[in-house]
Amino acid sequence: MTRFLLFFSLGLFCSCTNYSTTSSVQIPPILVSATKNTNGTFNVNVRATNPELIFSGYRLYLATTENDARNSGDLNAGADCTLSAGSLVVLPVQPRDYVFLIDPSENTIAAGSGIDCKFKVQGNTGNFIAVRALSLSIQVQSGSSTIQVSGPSNAIQLP
């Protein structure tokens, strides 16, 4: 956030007029696979591209059908992830493989565990999951900010 304000301030100072009034579109992640852990939690392998300045995390949607997971009636109803320290900060437009954990426990992500993001929600075998990327949208004229939600990822079924 601090970097955004610095770049924005520099743009105003330099009389930069090359900016857009339309929101940036966040690219949805691609769910590659899911595996069930021995303790009943799930690891999800994901491929994603995150614009660094506006990226805010991910939201997981669980449902009993593929369509319901991808097309939630309420985009705020999903579970947001708890990020592992610094693991989701990447160069803009550079894809990366991530490992997400679906685990309802209060346990925190251990450093060096290889887990990038934890969704504190109960997943069950047979549930379908989809993920959406979140990005920060700042309206300069009104001075407000909102979280924008990307389109849905593909949906996969938990094993």
PDB file of all heavy atoms in Angstrom, residues 38-78:
ATOM      1  N   THR A  38      -3.240 -37.009   5.847  1.00  0.00           N
ATOM      2  CA  THR A  38      -3.637 -38.060   6.792  1.00  0.00           C
ATOM      3  C   THR A  38      -4.511 -37.535   7.930  1.00  0.00           C
ATOM      4  O   THR A  38      -5.282 -38.281   8.517  1.00  0.00           O
ATOM      5  CB  THR A  38      -2.396 -38.756   7.395  1.00  0.00           C
ATOM      6  OG1 THR A  38      -1.568 -37.762   8.009  1.00  0.00           O
ATOM      7  CG2 THR A  38      -1.623 -39.494   6.324  1.00  0.00           C
ATOM      8  N   ASN A  39      -4.430 -36.233   8.224  1.00  0.00           N
ATOM      9  CA  ASN A  39      -5.239 -35.663   9.307  1.00  0.00           C
ATOM     10  C   ASN A  39      -6.588 -35.118   8.821  1.00  0.00           C
ATOM     11  O   ASN A  39      -7.284 -34.430   9.559  1.00  0.00           O
ATOM     12  CB  ASN A  39      -4.449 -34.565  10.028  1.00  0.00           C
ATOM     13  CG  ASN A  39      -4.097 -33.409   9.123  1.00  0.00           C
ATOM     14  OD1 ASN A  39      -4.378 -33.426   7.917  1.00  0.00           O
ATOM     15  ND2 ASN A  39      -3.463 -32.390   9.686  1.00  0.00           N
ATOM     16  N   GLY A  40      -6.944 -35.400   7.561  1.00  0.00           N
ATOM     17  CA  GLY A  40      -8.242 -34.976   7.038  1.00  0.00           C
ATOM     18  C   GLY A  40      -8.252 -33.596   6.404  1.00  0.00           C
ATOM     19  O   GLY A  40      -9.292 -33.139   5.935  1.00  0.00           O
ATOM     20  N   THR A  41      -7.119 -32.905   6.394  1.00  0.00           N
ATOM     21  CA  THR A  41      -7.030 -31.611   5.723  1.00  0.00           C
ATOM     22  C   THR A  41      -6.662 -31.859   4.254  1.00  0.00           C
ATOM     23  O   THR A  41      -6.384 -32.989   3.860  1.00  0.00           O
ATOM     24  CB  THR A  41      -5.974 -30.718   6.398  1.00  0.00           C
ATOM     25  OG1 THR A  41      -4.680 -31.334   6.264  1.00  0.00           O
ATOM     26  CG2 THR A  41      -6.306 -30.503   7.870  1.00  0.00           C
ATOM     27  N   PHE A  42      -6.648 -30.802   3.460  1.00  0.00           N
ATOM     28  CA  PHE A  42      -6.358 -30.938   2.035  1.00  0.00           C
ATOM     29  C   PHE A  42      -5.297 -29.938   1.600  1.00  0.00           C
ATOM     30  O   PHE A  42      -5.330 -28.786   2.031  1.00  0.00           O
ATOM     31  CB  PHE A  42      -7.625 -30.698   1.201  1.00  0.00           C
ATOM     32  CG  PHE A  42      -8.711 -31.698   1.460  1.00  0.00           C
ATOM     33  CD1 PHE A  42      -9.649 -31.479   2.447  1.00  0.00           C
ATOM     34  CD2 PHE A  42      -8.792 -32.861   0.710  1.00  0.00           C
ATOM     35  CE1 PHE A  42     -10.661 -32.398   2.695  1.00  0.00           C
ATOM     36  CE2 PHE A  42      -9.793 -33.788   0.950  1.00  0.00           C
ATOM     37  CZ  PHE A  42     -10.729 -33.559   1.942  1.00  0.00           C
ATOM     38  N   ASN A  43      -4.381 -30.375   0.747  1.00  0.00           N
ATOM     39  CA  ASN A  43      -3.458 -29.483   0.068  1.00  0.00           C
ATOM     40  C   ASN A  43      -3.956 -29.300  -1.358  1.00  0.00           C
ATOM     41  O   ASN A  43      -4.337 -30.275  -2.014  1.00  0.00           O
ATOM     42  CB  ASN A  43      -2.039 -30.059   0.016  1.00  0.00           C
ATOM     43  CG  ASN A  43      -1.320 -29.939   1.336  1.00  0.00           C
ATOM     44  OD1 ASN A  43      -1.868 -29.452   2.324  1.00  0.00           O
ATOM     45  ND2 ASN A  43      -0.080 -30.378   1.375  1.00  0.00           N
ATOM     46  N   VAL A  44      -3.940 -28.064  -1.840  1.00  0.00           N
ATOM     47  CA  VAL A  44      -4.374 -27.763  -3.198  1.00  0.00           C
ATOM     48  C   VAL A  44      -3.201 -27.107  -3.920  1.00  0.00           C
ATOM     49  O   VAL A  44      -2.672 -26.091  -3.450  1.00  0.00           O
ATOM     50  CB  VAL A  44      -5.600 -26.812  -3.199  1.00  0.00           C
ATOM     51  CG1 VAL A  44      -6.048 -26.515  -4.618  1.00  0.00           C
ATOM     52  CG2 VAL A  44      -6.732 -27.394  -2.373  1.00  0.00           C
ATOM     53  N   ASN A  45      -2.796 -27.687  -5.043  1.00  0.00           N
ATOM     54  CA  ASN A  45      -1.738 -27.108  -5.868  1.00  0.00           C
ATOM     55  C   ASN A  45      -2.381 -26.144  -6.860  1.00  0.00           C
ATOM     56  O   ASN A  45      -3.348 -26.489  -7.540  1.00  0.00           O
ATOM     57  CB  ASN A  45      -0.966 -28.197  -6.605  1.00  0.00           C
ATOM     58  CG  ASN A  45      -0.200 -29.062  -5.634  1.00  0.00           C
ATOM     59  OD1 ASN A  45       0.435 -28.577  -4.714  1.00  0.00           O
ATOM     60  ND2 ASN A  45      -0.285 -30.361  -5.822  1.00  0.00           N
ATOM     61  N   VAL A  46      -1.815 -24.932  -6.919  1.00  0.00           N
ATOM     62  CA  VAL A  46      -2.415 -23.837  -7.676  1.00  0.00           C
ATOM     63  C   VAL A  46      -1.347 -23.166  -8.524  1.00  0.00           C
ATOM     64  O   VAL A  46      -0.194 -23.035  -8.100  1.00  0.00           O
ATOM     65  CB  VAL A  46      -3.032 -22.794  -6.704  1.00  0.00           C
ATOM     66  CG1 VAL A  46      -3.625 -21.616  -7.436  1.00  0.00           C
ATOM     67  CG2 VAL A  46      -4.060 -23.453  -5.810  1.00  0.00           C
ATOM     68  N   ARG A  47      -1.734 -22.703  -9.692  1.00  0.00           N
ATOM     69  CA  ARG A  47      -0.865 -21.893 -10.555  1.00  0.00           C
ATOM     70  C   ARG A  47      -1.543 -20.541 -10.680  1.00  0.00           C
ATOM     71  O   ARG A  47      -2.727 -20.457 -11.034  1.00  0.00           O
ATOM     72  CB  ARG A  47      -0.736 -22.558 -11.919  1.00  0.00           C
ATOM     73  CG  ARG A  47       0.175 -21.846 -12.873  1.00  0.00           C
ATOM     74  CD  ARG A  47       1.601 -22.250 -12.600  1.00  0.00           C
ATOM     75  NE  ARG A  47       2.438 -21.810 -13.709  1.00  0.00           N
ATOM     76  CZ  ARG A  47       3.718 -21.649 -13.598  1.00  0.00           C
ATOM     77  NH1 ARG A  47       4.319 -21.900 -12.469  1.00  0.00           N
ATOM     78  NH2 ARG A  47       4.425 -21.252 -14.607  1.00  0.00           N
ATOM     79  N   ALA A  48      -0.835 -19.448 -10.353  1.00  0.00           N
ATOM     80  CA  ALA A  48      -1.456 -18.127 -10.352  1.00  0.00           C
ATOM     81  C   ALA A  48      -0.469 -17.042 -10.753  1.00  0.00           C
ATOM     82  O   ALA A  48       0.742 -17.204 -10.617  1.00  0.00           O
ATOM     83  CB  ALA A  48      -2.021 -17.827  -8.969  1.00  0.00           C
ATOM     84  N   THR A  49      -1.029 -15.930 -11.211  1.00  0.00           N
ATOM     85  CA  THR A  49      -0.270 -14.736 -11.560  1.00  0.00           C
ATOM     86  C   THR A  49      -0.865 -13.587 -10.759  1.00  0.00           C
ATOM     87  O   THR A  49      -2.068 -13.358 -10.818  1.00  0.00           O
ATOM     88  CB  THR A  49      -0.413 -14.436 -13.061  1.00  0.00           C
ATOM     89  OG1 THR A  49       0.021 -15.576 -13.791  1.00  0.00           O
ATOM     90  CG2 THR A  49       0.417 -13.230 -13.462  1.00  0.00           C
ATOM     91  N   ASN A  50      -0.037 -12.860 -10.024  1.00  0.00           N
ATOM     92  CA  ASN A  50      -0.538 -11.817  -9.141  1.00  0.00           C
ATOM     93  C   ASN A  50       0.121 -10.470  -9.418  1.00  0.00           C
ATOM     94  O   ASN A  50       1.321 -10.338  -9.210  1.00  0.00           O
ATOM     95  CB  ASN A  50      -0.262 -12.173  -7.684  1.00  0.00           C
ATOM     96  CG  ASN A  50      -0.738 -13.552  -7.349  1.00  0.00           C
ATOM     97  OD1 ASN A  50      -1.833 -13.918  -7.718  1.00  0.00           O
ATOM     98  ND2 ASN A  50       0.081 -14.332  -6.684  1.00  0.00           N
ATOM     99  N   PRO A  51      -0.640  -9.449  -9.845  1.00  0.00           N
ATOM    100  CA  PRO A  51      -0.053  -8.109  -9.918  1.00  0.00           C
ATOM    101  C   PRO A  51       0.306  -7.654  -8.502  1.00  0.00           C
ATOM    102  O   PRO A  51      -0.553  -7.630  -7.631  1.00  0.00           O
ATOM    103  CB  PRO A  51      -1.167  -7.253 -10.508  1.00  0.00           C
ATOM    104  CG  PRO A  51      -2.093  -8.231 -11.149  1.00  0.00           C
ATOM    105  CD  PRO A  51      -1.992  -9.497 -10.340  1.00  0.00           C
ATOM    106  N   GLU A  52       1.541  -7.314  -8.278  1.00  0.00           N
ATOM    107  CA  GLU A  52       2.047  -7.078  -6.929  1.00  0.00           C
ATOM    108  C   GLU A  52       1.388  -5.904  -6.204  1.00  0.00           C
ATOM    109  O   GLU A  52       1.058  -5.999  -5.036  1.00  0.00           O
ATOM    110  CB  GLU A  52       3.554  -6.850  -6.996  1.00  0.00           C
ATOM    111  CG  GLU A  52       4.199  -6.739  -5.652  1.00  0.00           C
ATOM    112  CD  GLU A  52       5.699  -6.621  -5.752  1.00  0.00           C
ATOM    113  OE1 GLU A  52       6.229  -6.626  -6.863  1.00  0.00           O
ATOM    114  OE2 GLU A  52       6.331  -6.510  -4.708  1.00  0.00           O
ATOM    115  N   LEU A  53       1.180  -4.783  -6.885  1.00  0.00           N
ATOM    116  CA  LEU A  53       0.707  -3.588  -6.199  1.00  0.00           C
ATOM    117  C   LEU A  53      -0.738  -3.681  -5.716  1.00  0.00           C
ATOM    118  O   LEU A  53      -1.106  -3.060  -4.740  1.00  0.00           O
ATOM    119  CB  LEU A  53       0.848  -2.362  -7.102  1.00  0.00           C
ATOM    120  CG  LEU A  53       2.281  -1.944  -7.402  1.00  0.00           C
ATOM    121  CD1 LEU A  53       2.287  -0.800  -8.390  1.00  0.00           C
ATOM    122  CD2 LEU A  53       3.004  -1.559  -6.127  1.00  0.00           C
ATOM    123  N   ILE A  54      -1.565  -4.438  -6.414  1.00  0.00           N
ATOM    124  CA  ILE A  54      -2.982  -4.471  -6.054  1.00  0.00           C
ATOM    125  C   ILE A  54      -3.431  -5.807  -5.483  1.00  0.00           C
ATOM    126  O   ILE A  54      -4.563  -5.943  -5.054  1.00  0.00           O
ATOM    127  CB  ILE A  54      -3.864  -4.119  -7.270  1.00  0.00           C
ATOM    128  CG1 ILE A  54      -3.660  -5.134  -8.395  1.00  0.00           C
ATOM    129  CG2 ILE A  54      -3.609  -2.700  -7.739  1.00  0.00           C
ATOM    130  CD1 ILE A  54      -4.658  -5.014  -9.534  1.00  0.00           C
ATOM    131  N   PHE A  55      -2.578  -6.801  -5.468  1.00  0.00           N
ATOM    132  CA  PHE A  55      -2.959  -8.139  -5.031  1.00  0.00           C
ATOM    133  C   PHE A  55      -3.253  -8.162  -3.536  1.00  0.00           C
ATOM    134  O   PHE A  55      -2.492  -7.647  -2.731  1.00  0.00           O
ATOM    135  CB  PHE A  55      -1.855  -9.136  -5.362  1.00  0.00           C
ATOM    136  CG  PHE A  55      -2.159 -10.525  -4.911  1.00  0.00           C
ATOM    137  CD1 PHE A  55      -3.153 -11.253  -5.524  1.00  0.00           C
ATOM    138  CD2 PHE A  55      -1.474 -11.084  -3.859  1.00  0.00           C
ATOM    139  CE1 PHE A  55      -3.462 -12.528  -5.091  1.00  0.00           C
ATOM    140  CE2 PHE A  55      -1.761 -12.359  -3.426  1.00  0.00           C
ATOM    141  CZ  PHE A  55      -2.756 -13.083  -4.047  1.00  0.00           C
ATOM    142  N   SER A  56      -4.387  -8.791  -3.155  1.00  0.00           N
ATOM    143  CA  SER A  56      -4.795  -8.819  -1.746  1.00  0.00           C
ATOM    144  C   SER A  56      -5.012 -10.212  -1.188  1.00  0.00           C
ATOM    145  O   SER A  56      -5.331 -10.347  -0.023  1.00  0.00           O
ATOM    146  CB  SER A  56      -6.094  -8.022  -1.568  1.00  0.00           C
ATOM    147  OG  SER A  56      -5.891  -6.682  -1.910  1.00  0.00           O
ATOM    148  N   GLY A  57      -4.897 -11.258  -1.991  1.00  0.00           N
ATOM    149  CA  GLY A  57      -5.074 -12.611  -1.477  1.00  0.00           C
ATOM    150  C   GLY A  57      -6.040 -13.425  -2.310  1.00  0.00           C
ATOM    151  O   GLY A  57      -6.330 -13.110  -3.462  1.00  0.00           O
ATOM    152  N   TYR A  58      -6.572 -14.486  -1.684  1.00  0.00           N
ATOM    153  CA  TYR A  58      -7.475 -15.408  -2.367  1.00  0.00           C
ATOM    154  C   TYR A  58      -8.691 -15.706  -1.508  1.00  0.00           C
ATOM    155  O   TYR A  58      -8.642 -15.603  -0.285  1.00  0.00           O
ATOM    156  CB  TYR A  58      -6.754 -16.728  -2.671  1.00  0.00           C
ATOM    157  CG  TYR A  58      -5.666 -16.574  -3.696  1.00  0.00           C
ATOM    158  CD1 TYR A  58      -4.335 -16.551  -3.315  1.00  0.00           C
ATOM    159  CD2 TYR A  58      -5.978 -16.431  -5.041  1.00  0.00           C
ATOM    160  CE1 TYR A  58      -3.335 -16.399  -4.259  1.00  0.00           C
ATOM    161  CE2 TYR A  58      -4.983 -16.279  -5.988  1.00  0.00           C
ATOM    162  CZ  TYR A  58      -3.661 -16.263  -5.595  1.00  0.00           C
ATOM    163  OH  TYR A  58      -2.685 -16.091  -6.528  1.00  0.00           O
ATOM    164  N   ARG A  59      -9.772 -16.098  -2.161  1.00  0.00           N
ATOM    165  CA  ARG A  59     -11.000 -16.500  -1.479  1.00  0.00           C
ATOM    166  C   ARG A  59     -11.425 -17.851  -2.046  1.00  0.00           C
ATOM    167  O   ARG A  59     -11.489 -18.037  -3.261  1.00  0.00           O
ATOM    168  CB  ARG A  59     -12.086 -15.452  -1.696  1.00  0.00           C
ATOM    169  CG  ARG A  59     -13.346 -15.710  -0.891  1.00  0.00           C
ATOM    170  CD  ARG A  59     -14.265 -14.503  -0.910  1.00  0.00           C
ATOM    171  NE  ARG A  59     -13.660 -13.417  -0.120  1.00  0.00           N
ATOM    172  CZ  ARG A  59     -13.947 -12.132  -0.296  1.00  0.00           C
ATOM    173  NH1 ARG A  59     -14.813 -11.753  -1.202  1.00  0.00           N
ATOM    174  NH2 ARG A  59     -13.366 -11.216   0.452  1.00  0.00           N
ATOM    175  N   LEU A  60     -11.724 -18.801  -1.148  1.00  0.00           N
ATOM    176  CA  LEU A  60     -12.109 -20.163  -1.507  1.00  0.00           C
ATOM    177  C   LEU A  60     -13.619 -20.333  -1.369  1.00  0.00           C
ATOM    178  O   LEU A  60     -14.218 -19.868  -0.401  1.00  0.00           O
ATOM    179  CB  LEU A  60     -11.410 -21.156  -0.573  1.00  0.00           C
ATOM    180  CG  LEU A  60     -11.796 -22.626  -0.741  1.00  0.00           C
ATOM    181  CD1 LEU A  60     -11.039 -23.228  -1.912  1.00  0.00           C
ATOM    182  CD2 LEU A  60     -11.491 -23.397   0.531  1.00  0.00           C
ATOM    183  N   TYR A  61     -14.205 -21.035  -2.336  1.00  0.00           N
ATOM    184  CA  TYR A  61     -15.630 -21.348  -2.309  1.00  0.00           C
ATOM    185  C   TYR A  61     -15.788 -22.860  -2.338  1.00  0.00           C
ATOM    186  O   TYR A  61     -15.229 -23.531  -3.192  1.00  0.00           O
ATOM    187  CB  TYR A  61     -16.341 -20.726  -3.519  1.00  0.00           C
ATOM    188  CG  TYR A  61     -16.218 -19.220  -3.538  1.00  0.00           C
ATOM    189  CD1 TYR A  61     -15.141 -18.600  -4.152  1.00  0.00           C
ATOM    190  CD2 TYR A  61     -17.160 -18.419  -2.902  1.00  0.00           C
ATOM    191  CE1 TYR A  61     -15.006 -17.226  -4.151  1.00  0.00           C
ATOM    192  CE2 TYR A  61     -17.040 -17.044  -2.894  1.00  0.00           C
ATOM    193  CZ  TYR A  61     -15.946 -16.443  -3.523  1.00  0.00           C
ATOM    194  OH  TYR A  61     -15.825 -15.085  -3.506  1.00  0.00           O
ATOM    195  N   LEU A  62     -16.526 -23.400  -1.369  1.00  0.00           N
ATOM    196  CA  LEU A  62     -16.829 -24.832  -1.267  1.00  0.00           C
ATOM    197  C   LEU A  62     -18.298 -25.046  -1.609  1.00  0.00           C
ATOM    198  O   LEU A  62     -19.149 -24.254  -1.190  1.00  0.00           O
ATOM    199  CB  LEU A  62     -16.630 -25.316   0.168  1.00  0.00           C
ATOM    200  CG  LEU A  62     -15.233 -25.610   0.651  1.00  0.00           C
ATOM    201  CD1 LEU A  62     -15.203 -25.659   2.162  1.00  0.00           C
ATOM    202  CD2 LEU A  62     -14.746 -26.917   0.081  1.00  0.00           C
ATOM    203  N   ALA A  63     -18.586 -26.115  -2.343  1.00  0.00           N
ATOM    204  CA  ALA A  63     -19.980 -26.419  -2.672  1.00  0.00           C
ATOM    205  C   ALA A  63     -20.116 -27.895  -3.006  1.00  0.00           C
ATOM    206  O   ALA A  63     -19.122 -28.605  -3.161  1.00  0.00           O
ATOM    207  CB  ALA A  63     -20.441 -25.562  -3.847  1.00  0.00           C
ATOM    208  N   THR A  64     -21.355 -28.343  -3.142  1.00  0.00           N
ATOM    209  CA  THR A  64     -21.600 -29.749  -3.470  1.00  0.00           C
ATOM    210  C   THR A  64     -21.606 -29.999  -4.976  1.00  0.00           C
ATOM    211  O   THR A  64     -21.577 -31.141  -5.407  1.00  0.00           O
ATOM    212  CB  THR A  64     -22.943 -30.226  -2.879  1.00  0.00           C
ATOM    213  OG1 THR A  64     -23.980 -29.357  -3.341  1.00  0.00           O
ATOM    214  CG2 THR A  64     -22.884 -30.207  -1.354  1.00  0.00           C
ATOM    215  N   THR A  65     -21.664 -28.924  -5.777  1.00  0.00           N
ATOM    216  CA  THR A  65     -21.596 -29.080  -7.231  1.00  0.00           C
ATOM    217  C   THR A  65     -20.520 -28.158  -7.799  1.00  0.00           C
ATOM    218  O   THR A  65     -20.181 -27.133  -7.198  1.00  0.00           O
ATOM    219  CB  THR A  65     -22.936 -28.739  -7.923  1.00  0.00           C
ATOM    220  OG1 THR A  65     -23.179 -27.326  -7.788  1.00  0.00           O
ATOM    221  CG2 THR A  65     -24.094 -29.534  -7.335  1.00  0.00           C
ATOM    222  N   GLU A  66     -20.023 -28.522  -8.955  1.00  0.00           N
ATOM    223  CA  GLU A  66     -19.003 -27.714  -9.624  1.00  0.00           C
ATOM    224  C   GLU A  66     -19.543 -26.318  -9.944  1.00  0.00           C
ATOM    225  O   GLU A  66     -18.872 -25.310  -9.720  1.00  0.00           O
ATOM    226  CB  GLU A  66     -18.563 -28.415 -10.907  1.00  0.00           C
ATOM    227  CG  GLU A  66     -17.515 -27.674 -11.688  1.00  0.00           C
ATOM    228  CD  GLU A  66     -17.071 -28.407 -12.931  1.00  0.00           C
ATOM    229  OE1 GLU A  66     -17.580 -29.509 -13.214  1.00  0.00           O
ATOM    230  OE2 GLU A  66     -16.209 -27.870 -13.639  1.00  0.00           O
ATOM    231  N   ASN A  67     -20.759 -26.259 -10.445  1.00  0.00           N
ATOM    232  CA  ASN A  67     -21.366 -24.981 -10.808  1.00  0.00           C
ATOM    233  C   ASN A  67     -21.513 -24.066  -9.594  1.00  0.00           C
ATOM    234  O   ASN A  67     -21.233 -22.872  -9.667  1.00  0.00           O
ATOM    235  CB  ASN A  67     -22.724 -25.203 -11.479  1.00  0.00           C
ATOM    236  CG  ASN A  67     -23.304 -23.911 -11.989  1.00  0.00           C
ATOM    237  OD1 ASN A  67     -22.705 -23.231 -12.813  1.00  0.00           O
ATOM    238  ND2 ASN A  67     -24.482 -23.563 -11.478  1.00  0.00           N
ATOM    239  N   ASP A  68     -21.956 -24.609  -8.466  1.00  0.00           N
ATOM    240  CA  ASP A  68     -22.139 -23.795  -7.260  1.00  0.00           C
ATOM    241  C   ASP A  68     -20.803 -23.293  -6.707  1.00  0.00           C
ATOM    242  O   ASP A  68     -20.739 -22.190  -6.165  1.00  0.00           O
ATOM    243  CB  ASP A  68     -22.890 -24.578  -6.184  1.00  0.00           C
ATOM    244  CG  ASP A  68     -24.358 -24.782  -6.532  1.00  0.00           C
ATOM    245  OD1 ASP A  68     -24.866 -24.110  -7.455  1.00  0.00           O
ATOM    246  OD2 ASP A  68     -24.994 -25.636  -5.884  1.00  0.00           O
ATOM    247  N   ALA A  69     -19.754 -24.085  -6.838  1.00  0.00           N
ATOM    248  CA  ALA A  69     -18.434 -23.641  -6.366  1.00  0.00           C
ATOM    249  C   ALA A  69     -17.919 -22.484  -7.224  1.00  0.00           C
ATOM    250  O   ALA A  69     -17.357 -21.524  -6.710  1.00  0.00           O
ATOM    251  CB  ALA A  69     -17.442 -24.799  -6.400  1.00  0.00           C
ATOM    252  N   ARG A  70     -18.123 -22.553  -8.502  1.00  0.00           N
ATOM    253  CA  ARG A  70     -17.624 -21.523  -9.419  1.00  0.00           C
ATOM    254  C   ARG A  70     -18.504 -20.283  -9.444  1.00  0.00           C
ATOM    255  O   ARG A  70     -18.025 -19.188  -9.730  1.00  0.00           O
ATOM    256  CB  ARG A  70     -17.514 -22.070 -10.837  1.00  0.00           C
ATOM    257  CG  ARG A  70     -16.449 -23.136 -10.987  1.00  0.00           C
ATOM    258  CD  ARG A  70     -16.171 -23.482 -12.435  1.00  0.00           C
ATOM    259  NE  ARG A  70     -15.364 -22.407 -13.006  1.00  0.00           N
ATOM    260  CZ  ARG A  70     -15.712 -21.720 -14.081  1.00  0.00           C
ATOM    261  NH1 ARG A  70     -16.816 -21.979 -14.719  1.00  0.00           N
ATOM    262  NH2 ARG A  70     -14.927 -20.755 -14.535  1.00  0.00           N
ATOM    263  N   ASN A  71     -19.778 -20.431  -9.179  1.00  0.00           N
ATOM    264  CA  ASN A  71     -20.729 -19.327  -9.339  1.00  0.00           C
ATOM    265  C   ASN A  71     -21.508 -19.085  -8.054  1.00  0.00           C
ATOM    266  O   ASN A  71     -22.734 -19.218  -8.027  1.00  0.00           O
ATOM    267  CB  ASN A  71     -21.690 -19.631 -10.496  1.00  0.00           C
ATOM    268  CG  ASN A  71     -20.946 -19.842 -11.793  1.00  0.00           C
ATOM    269  OD1 ASN A  71     -20.234 -18.980 -12.255  1.00  0.00           O
ATOM    270  ND2 ASN A  71     -21.090 -21.026 -12.366  1.00  0.00           N
ATOM    271  N   SER A  72     -20.802 -18.715  -7.017  1.00  0.00           N
ATOM    272  CA  SER A  72     -21.441 -18.451  -5.726  1.00  0.00           C
ATOM    273  C   SER A  72     -22.416 -17.282  -5.850  1.00  0.00           C
ATOM    274  O   SER A  72     -22.112 -16.280  -6.508  1.00  0.00           O
ATOM    275  CB  SER A  72     -20.374 -18.123  -4.688  1.00  0.00           C
ATOM    276  OG  SER A  72     -20.961 -17.748  -3.473  1.00  0.00           O
ATOM    277  N   GLY A  73     -23.561 -17.405  -5.199  1.00  0.00           N
ATOM    278  CA  GLY A  73     -24.545 -16.327  -5.199  1.00  0.00           C
ATOM    279  C   GLY A  73     -24.070 -15.105  -4.431  1.00  0.00           C
ATOM    280  O   GLY A  73     -24.518 -13.992  -4.670  1.00  0.00           O
ATOM    281  N   ASP A  74     -23.129 -15.299  -3.512  1.00  0.00           N
ATOM    282  CA  ASP A  74     -22.587 -14.211  -2.696  1.00  0.00           C
ATOM    283  C   ASP A  74     -21.067 -14.296  -2.736  1.00  0.00           C
ATOM    284  O   ASP A  74     -20.473 -15.193  -2.125  1.00  0.00           O
ATOM    285  CB  ASP A  74     -23.100 -14.329  -1.258  1.00  0.00           C
ATOM    286  CG  ASP A  74     -22.583 -13.235  -0.348  1.00  0.00           C
ATOM    287  OD1 ASP A  74     -21.861 -12.322  -0.824  1.00  0.00           O
ATOM    288  OD2 ASP A  74     -22.885 -13.295   0.857  1.00  0.00           O
ATOM    289  N   LEU A  75     -20.425 -13.385  -3.442  1.00  0.00           N
ATOM    290  CA  LEU A  75     -18.960 -13.426  -3.579  1.00  0.00           C
ATOM    291  C   LEU A  75     -18.239 -13.170  -2.264  1.00  0.00           C
ATOM    292  O   LEU A  75     -17.060 -13.454  -2.140  1.00  0.00           O
ATOM    293  CB  LEU A  75     -18.499 -12.447  -4.651  1.00  0.00           C
ATOM    294  CG  LEU A  75     -18.954 -12.758  -6.070  1.00  0.00           C
ATOM    295  CD1 LEU A  75     -18.430 -11.716  -7.042  1.00  0.00           C
ATOM    296  CD2 LEU A  75     -18.523 -14.155  -6.483  1.00  0.00           C
ATOM    297  N   ASN A  76     -18.930 -12.640  -1.255  1.00  0.00           N
ATOM    298  CA  ASN A  76     -18.320 -12.423   0.058  1.00  0.00           C
ATOM    299  C   ASN A  76     -18.450 -13.642   0.961  1.00  0.00           C
ATOM    300  O   ASN A  76     -17.931 -13.649   2.067  1.00  0.00           O
ATOM    301  CB  ASN A  76     -18.956 -11.215   0.742  1.00  0.00           C
ATOM    302  CG  ASN A  76     -18.661  -9.937   0.004  1.00  0.00           C
ATOM    303  OD1 ASN A  76     -17.537  -9.713  -0.423  1.00  0.00           O
ATOM    304  ND2 ASN A  76     -19.667  -9.110  -0.179  1.00  0.00           N
ATOM    305  N   ALA A  77     -19.152 -14.680   0.505  1.00  0.00           N
ATOM    306  CA  ALA A  77     -19.435 -15.847   1.346  1.00  0.00           C
ATOM    307  C   ALA A  77     -18.277 -16.838   1.420  1.00  0.00           C
ATOM    308  O   ALA A  77     -18.300 -17.732   2.249  1.00  0.00           O
ATOM    309  CB  ALA A  77     -20.684 -16.561   0.836  1.00  0.00           C
ATOM    310  N   GLY A  78     -17.292 -16.698   0.600  1.00  0.00           N
ATOM    311  CA  GLY A  78     -16.165 -17.626   0.626  1.00  0.00           C
ATOM    312  C   GLY A  78     -15.255 -17.391   1.817  1.00  0.00           C
ATOM    313  O   GLY A  78     -15.423 -16.450   2.589  1.00  0.00           O
TER     314      GLY A  78
END
